[in-house]
Amino acid sequence: MLRYFLRLGTSGFGGPIAVVGYMQRDLVEQRGWIAKDDFLNGVALGQTMPGPLAAQVAMWVGYLRRGTLGAAATAAAFIIPSFVMVTAVAVLYVHDAGCPWCSHCSTASPPR
C-alpha cells in the first residue's frame, strides 16, 4: 500500500478530486483493498475538514488498514514526493537567482 501512495504522490496530477478518483478506481474497484462505503465515508469526512482532500483520504485509507501508524505512513508516502519536488525547484530557483529558462524572469533582480 505504501508503494501505491508513494507512486500516486509522485505522479498523480489533476487536482484533489482527480486524485481521489484514482484512489477509488484503484483501491476500491480494482484491488478491493477497501470497501466502497468506507472509502466514501473517508471522502465525506475529508470534505468537512480544512486541508488537502486527497491527503486526508489517503490518511483515512491508511488508518482503516493499520490504525494511527498506517495513517502516518500513508501520509508520509503521499506527501513527501511533492515536498521533495517543490524543495528541489526552490533550491534551483534560489541558486540561479530566478528562473533563467524563463525569458521574462531573467531580467528580474535576484532575491535579497
Side-chain angles (χ1 to χ4, degrees), residues 60-98:
W60 173 255
V61 170
Y63 178 78
L64 289 178
R65 297 281 293 188
R66 296 284 189 250
T68 304
L69 290 177
T74 55
F78 186 70
I79 294 168
I80 287 176
S82 298
F83 175 78
V84 169
M85 286 185 264
V86 168
T87 302
V89 169
V91 167
L92 289 173
Y93 183 82
V94 169
H95 180 265
D96 293 333

mmCIF file of all heavy atoms in Angstrom, residues 60-98:
data_model
loop_
_atom_site.group_PDB
_atom_site.id
_atom_site.type_symbol
_atom_site.label_atom_id
_atom_site.label_comp_id
_atom_site.label_asym_id
_atom_site.label_seq_id
_atom_site.Cartn_x
_atom_site.Cartn_y
_atom_site.Cartn_z
ATOM 1 N N TRP A 60 -6.989 8.437 5.703
ATOM 2 C CA TRP A 60 -8.151 7.645 6.111
ATOM 3 C C TRP A 60 -7.982 6.183 5.703
ATOM 4 O O TRP A 60 -8.226 5.277 6.487
ATOM 5 C CB TRP A 60 -9.419 8.238 5.504
ATOM 6 C CG TRP A 60 -10.662 7.434 5.702
ATOM 7 C CD1 TRP A 60 -11.306 6.675 4.785
ATOM 8 C CD2 TRP A 60 -11.413 7.306 6.904
ATOM 9 N NE1 TRP A 60 -12.412 6.098 5.338
ATOM 10 C CE2 TRP A 60 -12.508 6.458 6.646
ATOM 11 C CE3 TRP A 60 -11.281 7.834 8.192
ATOM 12 C CZ2 TRP A 60 -13.452 6.119 7.601
ATOM 13 C CZ3 TRP A 60 -12.219 7.495 9.155
ATOM 14 C CH2 TRP A 60 -13.282 6.648 8.861
ATOM 15 N N VAL A 61 -7.536 5.970 4.470
ATOM 16 C CA VAL A 61 -7.315 4.609 3.996
ATOM 17 C C VAL A 61 -6.241 3.930 4.842
ATOM 18 O O VAL A 61 -6.395 2.784 5.267
ATOM 19 C CB VAL A 61 -6.935 4.601 2.498
ATOM 20 C CG1 VAL A 61 -6.480 3.234 2.049
ATOM 21 C CG2 VAL A 61 -8.110 5.077 1.651
ATOM 22 N N GLY A 62 -5.165 4.634 5.118
ATOM 23 C CA GLY A 62 -4.109 4.082 5.965
ATOM 24 C C GLY A 62 -4.602 3.774 7.366
ATOM 25 O O GLY A 62 -4.245 2.747 7.955
ATOM 26 N N TYR A 63 -5.442 4.660 7.889
ATOM 27 C CA TYR A 63 -5.998 4.443 9.229
ATOM 28 C C TYR A 63 -6.881 3.192 9.259
ATOM 29 O O TYR A 63 -6.800 2.395 10.193
ATOM 30 C CB TYR A 63 -6.795 5.670 9.673
ATOM 31 C CG TYR A 63 -7.422 5.497 11.026
ATOM 32 C CD1 TYR A 63 -6.656 5.632 12.167
ATOM 33 C CD2 TYR A 63 -8.763 5.170 11.165
ATOM 34 C CE1 TYR A 63 -7.213 5.452 13.430
ATOM 35 C CE2 TYR A 63 -9.327 4.985 12.402
ATOM 36 C CZ TYR A 63 -8.548 5.130 13.543
ATOM 37 O OH TYR A 63 -9.099 4.940 14.777
ATOM 38 N N LEU A 64 -7.698 3.027 8.241
ATOM 39 C CA LEU A 64 -8.564 1.850 8.205
ATOM 40 C C LEU A 64 -7.758 0.561 8.099
ATOM 41 O O LEU A 64 -8.155 -0.469 8.647
ATOM 42 C CB LEU A 64 -9.551 1.938 7.037
ATOM 43 C CG LEU A 64 -10.654 2.979 7.167
ATOM 44 C CD1 LEU A 64 -11.528 2.975 5.917
ATOM 45 C CD2 LEU A 64 -11.500 2.755 8.408
ATOM 46 N N ARG A 65 -6.639 0.613 7.401
ATOM 47 C CA ARG A 65 -5.830 -0.598 7.206
ATOM 48 C C ARG A 65 -4.941 -0.910 8.400
ATOM 49 O O ARG A 65 -4.793 -2.067 8.769
ATOM 50 C CB ARG A 65 -4.959 -0.459 5.959
ATOM 51 C CG ARG A 65 -5.732 -0.326 4.654
ATOM 52 C CD ARG A 65 -6.245 -1.608 4.148
ATOM 53 N NE ARG A 65 -5.112 -2.440 3.765
ATOM 54 C CZ ARG A 65 -5.219 -3.572 3.138
ATOM 55 N NH1 ARG A 65 -6.401 -4.003 2.787
ATOM 56 N NH2 ARG A 65 -4.161 -4.281 2.841
ATOM 57 N N ARG A 66 -4.314 0.114 9.005
ATOM 58 C CA ARG A 66 -3.332 -0.148 10.062
ATOM 59 C C ARG A 66 -3.376 0.840 11.225
ATOM 60 O O ARG A 66 -2.381 1.016 11.913
ATOM 61 C CB ARG A 66 -1.921 -0.117 9.476
ATOM 62 C CG ARG A 66 -1.632 -1.187 8.466
ATOM 63 C CD ARG A 66 -1.400 -2.534 9.150
ATOM 64 N NE ARG A 66 -0.921 -3.496 8.183
ATOM 65 C CZ ARG A 66 -1.640 -4.522 7.761
ATOM 66 N NH1 ARG A 66 -2.862 -4.707 8.211
ATOM 67 N NH2 ARG A 66 -1.143 -5.355 6.896
ATOM 68 N N GLY A 67 -4.485 1.522 11.409
ATOM 69 C CA GLY A 67 -4.615 2.424 12.554
ATOM 70 C C GLY A 67 -3.786 3.699 12.391
ATOM 71 O O GLY A 67 -3.505 4.143 11.281
ATOM 72 N N THR A 68 -3.386 4.257 13.521
ATOM 73 C CA THR A 68 -2.672 5.535 13.529
ATOM 74 C C THR A 68 -1.353 5.457 12.774
ATOM 75 O O THR A 68 -1.006 6.365 12.014
ATOM 76 C CB THR A 68 -2.432 5.999 14.977
ATOM 77 O OG1 THR A 68 -3.693 6.066 15.649
ATOM 78 C CG2 THR A 68 -1.782 7.361 15.021
ATOM 79 N N LEU A 69 -0.607 4.385 12.967
ATOM 80 C CA LEU A 69 0.659 4.241 12.244
ATOM 81 C C LEU A 69 0.440 4.117 10.736
ATOM 82 O O LEU A 69 1.221 4.645 9.940
ATOM 83 C CB LEU A 69 1.438 3.036 12.756
ATOM 84 C CG LEU A 69 2.017 3.179 14.167
ATOM 85 C CD1 LEU A 69 2.704 1.896 14.599
ATOM 86 C CD2 LEU A 69 2.970 4.357 14.233
ATOM 87 N N GLY A 70 -0.629 3.450 10.339
ATOM 88 C CA GLY A 70 -0.956 3.350 8.923
ATOM 89 C C GLY A 70 -1.292 4.715 8.333
ATOM 90 O O GLY A 70 -0.892 5.028 7.210
ATOM 91 N N ALA A 71 -2.020 5.527 9.096
ATOM 92 C CA ALA A 71 -2.359 6.874 8.630
ATOM 93 C C ALA A 71 -1.097 7.716 8.476
ATOM 94 O O ALA A 71 -0.928 8.417 7.466
ATOM 95 C CB ALA A 71 -3.328 7.541 9.604
ATOM 96 N N ALA A 72 -0.200 7.630 9.440
ATOM 97 C CA ALA A 72 1.046 8.396 9.371
ATOM 98 C C ALA A 72 1.915 7.923 8.204
ATOM 99 O O ALA A 72 2.499 8.736 7.479
ATOM 100 C CB ALA A 72 1.814 8.279 10.685
ATOM 101 N N ALA A 73 1.992 6.621 8.006
ATOM 102 C CA ALA A 73 2.820 6.077 6.925
ATOM 103 C C ALA A 73 2.273 6.455 5.554
ATOM 104 O O ALA A 73 3.037 6.849 4.665
ATOM 105 C CB ALA A 73 2.929 4.558 7.060
ATOM 106 N N THR A 74 0.968 6.345 5.364
ATOM 107 C CA THR A 74 0.407 6.710 4.061
ATOM 108 C C THR A 74 0.512 8.215 3.828
ATOM 109 O O THR A 74 0.746 8.643 2.704
ATOM 110 C CB THR A 74 -1.061 6.264 3.905
ATOM 111 O OG1 THR A 74 -1.833 6.792 4.972
ATOM 112 C CG2 THR A 74 -1.179 4.762 3.856
ATOM 113 N N ALA A 75 0.365 9.005 4.882
ATOM 114 C CA ALA A 75 0.531 10.453 4.735
ATOM 115 C C ALA A 75 1.944 10.780 4.273
ATOM 116 O O ALA A 75 2.140 11.575 3.348
ATOM 117 C CB ALA A 75 0.224 11.162 6.051
ATOM 118 N N ALA A 76 2.933 10.156 4.908
ATOM 119 C CA ALA A 76 4.328 10.407 4.524
ATOM 120 C C ALA A 76 4.577 9.963 3.084
ATOM 121 O O ALA A 76 5.178 10.706 2.292
ATOM 122 C CB ALA A 76 5.274 9.688 5.484
ATOM 123 N N ALA A 77 4.123 8.779 2.733
ATOM 124 C CA ALA A 77 4.350 8.267 1.382
ATOM 125 C C ALA A 77 3.665 9.134 0.335
ATOM 126 O O ALA A 77 4.181 9.308 -0.774
ATOM 127 C CB ALA A 77 3.855 6.822 1.275
ATOM 128 N N PHE A 78 2.531 9.705 0.657
ATOM 129 C CA PHE A 78 1.770 10.510 -0.301
ATOM 130 C C PHE A 78 2.299 11.940 -0.391
ATOM 131 O O PHE A 78 2.326 12.540 -1.465
ATOM 132 C CB PHE A 78 0.297 10.519 0.112
ATOM 133 C CG PHE A 78 -0.607 11.193 -0.868
ATOM 134 C CD1 PHE A 78 -0.876 10.626 -2.102
ATOM 135 C CD2 PHE A 78 -1.199 12.402 -0.560
ATOM 136 C CE1 PHE A 78 -1.709 11.252 -3.012
ATOM 137 C CE2 PHE A 78 -2.038 13.033 -1.458
ATOM 138 C CZ PHE A 78 -2.290 12.460 -2.689
ATOM 139 N N ILE A 79 2.746 12.512 0.728
ATOM 140 C CA ILE A 79 3.112 13.925 0.779
ATOM 141 C C ILE A 79 4.585 14.166 0.467
ATOM 142 O O ILE A 79 4.935 15.156 -0.174
ATOM 143 C CB ILE A 79 2.745 14.511 2.158
ATOM 144 C CG1 ILE A 79 1.225 14.500 2.326
ATOM 145 C CG2 ILE A 79 3.295 15.913 2.333
ATOM 146 C CD1 ILE A 79 0.754 14.776 3.738
ATOM 147 N N ILE A 80 5.473 13.284 0.899
ATOM 148 C CA ILE A 80 6.913 13.526 0.767
ATOM 149 C C ILE A 80 7.361 13.724 -0.689
ATOM 150 O O ILE A 80 8.177 14.611 -0.948
ATOM 151 C CB ILE A 80 7.719 12.440 1.496
ATOM 152 C CG1 ILE A 80 7.600 12.678 3.007
ATOM 153 C CG2 ILE A 80 9.174 12.415 1.064
ATOM 154 C CD1 ILE A 80 8.252 11.632 3.870
ATOM 155 N N PRO A 81 6.865 12.964 -1.662
ATOM 156 C CA PRO A 81 7.330 13.224 -3.044
ATOM 157 C C PRO A 81 7.074 14.663 -3.507
ATOM 158 O O PRO A 81 7.957 15.287 -4.092
ATOM 159 C CB PRO A 81 6.536 12.224 -3.886
ATOM 160 C CG PRO A 81 6.213 11.120 -2.949
ATOM 161 C CD PRO A 81 5.992 11.785 -1.618
ATOM 162 N N SER A 82 5.912 15.193 -3.227
ATOM 163 C CA SER A 82 5.603 16.572 -3.615
ATOM 164 C C SER A 82 6.494 17.555 -2.871
ATOM 165 O O SER A 82 6.990 18.530 -3.454
ATOM 166 C CB SER A 82 4.141 16.897 -3.322
ATOM 167 O OG SER A 82 3.304 16.077 -4.075
ATOM 168 N N PHE A 83 6.709 17.303 -1.591
ATOM 169 C CA PHE A 83 7.569 18.166 -0.793
ATOM 170 C C PHE A 83 8.981 18.194 -1.364
ATOM 171 O O PHE A 83 9.594 19.257 -1.507
ATOM 172 C CB PHE A 83 7.587 17.687 0.665
ATOM 173 C CG PHE A 83 8.533 18.446 1.534
ATOM 174 C CD1 PHE A 83 8.200 19.697 2.015
ATOM 175 C CD2 PHE A 83 9.772 17.913 1.864
ATOM 176 C CE1 PHE A 83 9.088 20.405 2.805
ATOM 177 C CE2 PHE A 83 10.660 18.604 2.647
ATOM 178 C CZ PHE A 83 10.319 19.860 3.126
ATOM 179 N N VAL A 84 9.508 17.026 -1.712
ATOM 180 C CA VAL A 84 10.869 16.942 -2.263
ATOM 181 C C VAL A 84 10.943 17.682 -3.601
ATOM 182 O O VAL A 84 11.904 18.430 -3.847
ATOM 183 C CB VAL A 84 11.301 15.469 -2.403
ATOM 184 C CG1 VAL A 84 12.572 15.335 -3.218
ATOM 185 C CG2 VAL A 84 11.481 14.841 -1.028
ATOM 186 N N MET A 85 9.942 17.497 -4.469
ATOM 187 C CA MET A 85 9.961 18.172 -5.762
ATOM 188 C C MET A 85 9.901 19.693 -5.616
ATOM 189 O O MET A 85 10.650 20.420 -6.281
ATOM 190 C CB MET A 85 8.805 17.679 -6.638
ATOM 191 C CG MET A 85 9.027 16.285 -7.186
ATOM 192 S SD MET A 85 7.725 15.780 -8.328
ATOM 193 C CE MET A 85 6.664 14.852 -7.236
ATOM 194 N N VAL A 86 9.031 20.186 -4.748
ATOM 195 C CA VAL A 86 8.911 21.637 -4.553
ATOM 196 C C VAL A 86 10.188 22.193 -3.927
ATOM 197 O O VAL A 86 10.668 23.261 -4.318
ATOM 198 C CB VAL A 86 7.669 21.967 -3.696
ATOM 199 C CG1 VAL A 86 7.681 23.412 -3.248
ATOM 200 C CG2 VAL A 86 6.406 21.663 -4.475
ATOM 201 N N THR A 87 10.755 21.467 -2.988
ATOM 202 C CA THR A 87 12.002 21.910 -2.361
ATOM 203 C C THR A 87 13.138 21.957 -3.378
ATOM 204 O O THR A 87 13.933 22.905 -3.396
ATOM 205 C CB THR A 87 12.362 20.991 -1.183
ATOM 206 O OG1 THR A 87 11.283 21.008 -0.240
ATOM 207 C CG2 THR A 87 13.639 21.442 -0.494
ATOM 208 N N ALA A 88 13.228 20.956 -4.249
ATOM 209 C CA ALA A 88 14.269 20.937 -5.277
ATOM 210 C C ALA A 88 14.124 22.125 -6.229
ATOM 211 O O ALA A 88 15.125 22.783 -6.568
ATOM 212 C CB ALA A 88 14.219 19.626 -6.053
ATOM 213 N N VAL A 89 12.908 22.420 -6.643
ATOM 214 C CA VAL A 89 12.687 23.571 -7.520
ATOM 215 C C VAL A 89 13.044 24.867 -6.796
ATOM 216 O O VAL A 89 13.662 25.769 -7.373
ATOM 217 C CB VAL A 89 11.232 23.599 -8.043
ATOM 218 C CG1 VAL A 89 10.907 24.914 -8.725
ATOM 219 C CG2 VAL A 89 10.992 22.433 -8.979
ATOM 220 N N ALA A 90 12.703 24.961 -5.520
ATOM 221 C CA ALA A 90 13.031 26.160 -4.746
ATOM 222 C C ALA A 90 14.544 26.339 -4.626
ATOM 223 O O ALA A 90 15.057 27.455 -4.751
ATOM 224 C CB ALA A 90 12.398 26.079 -3.362
ATOM 225 N N VAL A 91 15.262 25.244 -4.384
ATOM 226 C CA VAL A 91 16.724 25.319 -4.286
ATOM 227 C C VAL A 91 17.315 25.775 -5.616
ATOM 228 O O VAL A 91 18.201 26.640 -5.645
ATOM 229 C CB VAL A 91 17.305 23.953 -3.845
ATOM 230 C CG1 VAL A 91 18.808 23.902 -4.041
ATOM 231 C CG2 VAL A 91 16.943 23.677 -2.394
ATOM 232 N N LEU A 92 16.835 25.212 -6.717
ATOM 233 C CA LEU A 92 17.323 25.641 -8.032
ATOM 234 C C LEU A 92 17.003 27.102 -8.290
ATOM 235 O O LEU A 92 17.829 27.849 -8.822
ATOM 236 C CB LEU A 92 16.707 24.767 -9.128
ATOM 237 C CG LEU A 92 17.198 23.337 -9.197
ATOM 238 C CD1 LEU A 92 16.375 22.548 -10.218
ATOM 239 C CD2 LEU A 92 18.678 23.289 -9.549
ATOM 240 N N TYR A 93 15.830 27.530 -7.910
ATOM 241 C CA TYR A 93 15.415 28.918 -8.124
ATOM 242 C C TYR A 93 16.321 29.863 -7.338
ATOM 243 O O TYR A 93 16.811 30.856 -7.872
ATOM 244 C CB TYR A 93 13.956 29.098 -7.705
ATOM 245 C CG TYR A 93 13.434 30.479 -7.971
ATOM 246 C CD1 TYR A 93 12.979 30.840 -9.231
ATOM 247 C CD2 TYR A 93 13.414 31.443 -6.970
ATOM 248 C CE1 TYR A 93 12.508 32.112 -9.492
ATOM 249 C CE2 TYR A 93 12.954 32.720 -7.214
ATOM 250 C CZ TYR A 93 12.500 33.053 -8.477
ATOM 251 O OH TYR A 93 12.049 34.312 -8.732
ATOM 252 N N VAL A 94 16.547 29.549 -6.068
ATOM 253 C CA VAL A 94 17.395 30.411 -5.240
ATOM 254 C C VAL A 94 18.836 30.373 -5.746
ATOM 255 O O VAL A 94 19.512 31.395 -5.814
ATOM 256 C CB VAL A 94 17.308 29.984 -3.755
ATOM 257 C CG1 VAL A 94 18.370 30.667 -2.922
ATOM 258 C CG2 VAL A 94 15.923 30.296 -3.213
ATOM 259 N N HIS A 95 19.306 29.196 -6.108
ATOM 260 C CA HIS A 95 20.677 29.060 -6.611
ATOM 261 C C HIS A 95 20.901 29.883 -7.872
ATOM 262 O O HIS A 95 21.942 30.499 -8.043
ATOM 263 C CB HIS A 95 20.989 27.585 -6.883
ATOM 264 C CG HIS A 95 22.365 27.364 -7.407
ATOM 265 N ND1 HIS A 95 22.633 27.278 -8.756
ATOM 266 C CD2 HIS A 95 23.557 27.242 -6.774
ATOM 267 C CE1 HIS A 95 23.925 27.103 -8.922
ATOM 268 N NE2 HIS A 95 24.505 27.073 -7.743
ATOM 269 N N ASP A 96 19.933 29.897 -8.763
ATOM 270 C CA ASP A 96 20.068 30.627 -10.018
ATOM 271 C C ASP A 96 19.530 32.048 -9.940
ATOM 272 O O ASP A 96 19.534 32.751 -10.954
ATOM 273 C CB ASP A 96 19.343 29.877 -11.146
ATOM 274 C CG ASP A 96 20.015 28.562 -11.467
ATOM 275 O OD1 ASP A 96 21.230 28.437 -11.249
ATOM 276 O OD2 ASP A 96 19.308 27.649 -11.939
ATOM 277 N N ALA A 97 19.078 32.476 -8.768
ATOM 278 C CA ALA A 97 18.541 33.821 -8.560
ATOM 279 C C ALA A 97 17.423 34.127 -9.541
ATOM 280 O O ALA A 97 17.341 35.190 -10.120
ATOM 281 C CB ALA A 97 19.644 34.866 -8.632
ATOM 282 N N GLY A 98 16.561 33.204 -9.755
ATOM 283 C CA GLY A 98 15.441 33.359 -10.669
ATOM 284 C C GLY A 98 15.342 32.129 -11.534
ATOM 285 O O GLY A 98 15.964 31.118 -11.266
#
